[in-house]
Structure formats: structure tokens, C-alpha cells
Amino acid sequence: SSGINAEYGEVLVHEGIQRSQCPVLLLCNKQDYEMARGPAAVMATLETELTVLNETSSNSLSDDTQRSLQPPGTTVKFDKLSNPVTAVGSTSVGSEVDISALKKWIAEL
């Protein structure tokens, strides 16, 4: 999970993506599972984990100049980023596919 979060964080701090201010979608699949977290819960968890990664990279002893999502000591909040981040749910089980939220997001671009 933290590996995925680190990769998602790298996408969000990528200079080209930040400069373009393109919308970013977090598609939360498997929403048909009883124990699945909803999109809002996934986003909250991801913000928390990205805050930890942001702090870890800002406290690194590396000489690399790393971009960060937020200034050190602040909580990562998607609504404060230059790219609008949206999370939607979907299901895809056999012939049952519900990607209506994805289609709506694309249509609104």
C-alpha cells in the first residue's frame, strides 16, 4: 500500500503534471466488496500517508532537491494542490461493470 502511495505522490509532485494543472482521478475499484472503503475514506487515508511521505522526504539527508506536495510540517490536502484530485468508486465483477462515475468525470473535463 505504501509503495502505491509513494508512486501516487510522485505523480502529483511531477513538475509537468503540476505545471499543467491537469485533473487527477483516483478510481476506487471493488466498491462491491462489503469491506471496501469508499472514495472519501480512500482519499483521507491517502492524504495521511502522503503527509508522512512528504515529511520523510523533506527530512531526508539526501542532497537531491526533491519536490514536495506541501511545505514541511503541513498536512497534505488534495484540495490545496495545484491539480484538482477527485476520487470515485467503481465495480467490475464478471459481466457486472459500473464505471458510471468514471464516465461522468471524463464527460465533465
Side-chain angles (χ1 to χ4, degrees):
S1 164
S2 63
I4 292 169
N5 297 339
E7 288 181 29
Y8 192 69
E10 287 199 26
V11 167
L12 292 173
V13 298
H14 187 277
E15 185 177 349
I17 291 174
Q18 282 188 341
R19 188 175 42 249
S20 73
Q21 297 183 347
C22 68
V24 176
L25 178 69
L26 177 60
L27 184 65
C28 305
N29 195 20
K30 302 191 185 281
Q31 292 299 296
D32 55 306
Y33 283 29
E34 188 175 318
M35 299 298 289
R37 291 189 196 173
V42 171
M43 281 190 70
T45 300
L46 192 53
E47 285 175 333
T48 300
E49 292 181 9
L50 289 174
T51 297
V52 171
L53 288 170
N54 197 54
E55 283 298 311
T56 302
S57 68
S58 69
N59 293 331
S60 170
L61 297 176
S62 171
D63 289 337
D64 297 337
T65 305
Q66 297 179 345
R67 298 179 58 83
S68 61
L69 290 169
Q70 299 283 302
T74 60
T75 302
V76 172
K77 291 290 182 189
F78 290 126
D79 61 352
K80 302 293 184 201
L81 301 179
S82 61
N83 302 78
V85 179
T86 304
V88 299
S90 72
T91 59
S92 167
V93 180
S95 62
E96 288 188 41
V97 176
D98 179 6
I99 57 170
S100 57
L102 171 61
K103 289 179 179 180
K104 181 181 178 201
W105 182 82
I106 291 170
E108 293 174 354
L109 289 178

